Amino acid sequence: VLPQVCARLSARHPDLDIQIVALPRVFNLSRREADLAIGVSAPTAGRLTVQKITDYKLHLAAAEDYLQASATIRMPHDLKSHKIVGYIPDMIFDRELDYLAHIGVARVPLASNSVSVQLNLLRHGGGVGVVHDFALPAAPNLVRILTDKISLTRAFYMIRHEADRKNTKLTQLADDLSAGLRQEVAHLEATLT
């Protein structure tokens, strides 16, 4: 959701330079490694301001072709006979991203630290994995499964250094970015209902 939101912000503010650093790590805002960060958990230490942007949903999904060629999945225990796509367990830097452990899956035969790579593995019939609902409109061949049994909710948080509250330009950017993300997630998730 971030690229489309940032593209609109850039069009409205042509003098604004936006650099998106998509690394699986925590940035130290106190050392000014970034002006702001969007995270999946709220930090509990440091001189930071944290604002919840929005909740988002995740479900298990797989490609239609994969599901047609594989054993039927009716219950969570049926996942044991399927190839699972997910994060590399040793590279999960935030407990909120440990989706598969949350649903009781221990082995991840197709793994990446990139959610984009995971999505593409699923799109190409690699197996079953947890997918952000807001990503599904961009992957129309993926089908959500076990939606009545496995549904995860997570949140995005805007994180800034406490001293930046008086920076009106940065505050406006943070507000615009938060509003855009809320709107985009709501719009994309609404297309699934």
Side-chain angles (χ1 to χ4, degrees):
V1 293
L2 196 55
Q4 53 267 40
V5 172
C6 287
R8 287 193 298 266
L9 280 173
S10 181
R12 284 196 318 262
H13 305 284
D15 293 334
L16 175 66
D17 294 337
I18 299 173
Q19 298 175 346
I20 302 170
V21 181
L23 293 175
R25 73 177 190 96
V26 176
F27 283 87
N28 187 330
L29 296 175
S30 297
R31 289 191 208 152
R32 304 303 188 172
E33 291 179 345
D35 291 319
L36 55 85
I38 297 171
V40 293
S41 62
T44 56
R47 297 178 54 162
L48 304 170
T49 59
V50 179
Q51 173 192 359
K52 183 176 178 181
I53 298 172
T54 189
D55 286 330
Y56 59 91
K57 303 277 187 214
L58 303 104
H59 288 92
L60 287 172
E64 290 175 3
D65 293 348
Y66 174 85
L67 292 171
Q68 290 172 2
S70 302
T72 303
I73 303 172
R74 288 191 180 96
M75 299 296 289
H77 68 267
D78 294 332
L79 294 171
K80 291 177 182 167
S81 63
H82 288 269
K83 193 164 280 206
I84 302 297
V85 174
Y87 281 106
I88 300 168
D90 291 341
M91 295 185 79
I92 297 173
F93 70 97
D94 191 307
R95 63 180 168 73
E96 294 296 326
L97 300 176
D98 201 0
Y99 311 129
L100 296 174
H102 179 80
I103 60 175
V105 173
R107 183 170 176 260
V108 185
L110 277 173
S112 174
N113 68 328
S114 165
V115 70
S116 295
V117 171
Q118 292 173 38
L119 182 67
N120 281 306
L121 284 166
L122 293 170
R123 286 180 54 233
H124 293 285
V128 177
V130 176
V131 177
H132 298 82
D133 282 6
F134 61 72
L136 289 170
N141 72 318
L142 292 183
V143 177
R144 292 190 305 172
I145 56 173
L146 299 177
T147 57
D148 59 333
K149 299 192 178 14
I150 298 173
S151 178
L152 304 172
T153 300
R154 297 293 189 268
F156 287 128
Y157 296 89
M158 176 72 64
I159 307 157
R160 297 175 51 199
H161 191 277
E162 185 179 72
D164 289 339
R165 284 189 299 182
K166 295 178 183 176
N167 182 328
T168 56
K169 288 183 179 181
L170 191 55
T171 297
Q172 185 61 55
L173 172 65
D175 290 347
D176 289 349
L177 192 56
S178 294
L181 288 170
R182 270 191 300 278
Q183 180 184 20
E184 194 67 22
V185 167
H187 167 72
L188 292 169
E189 285 187 349
T191 65
L192 300 176
T193 57

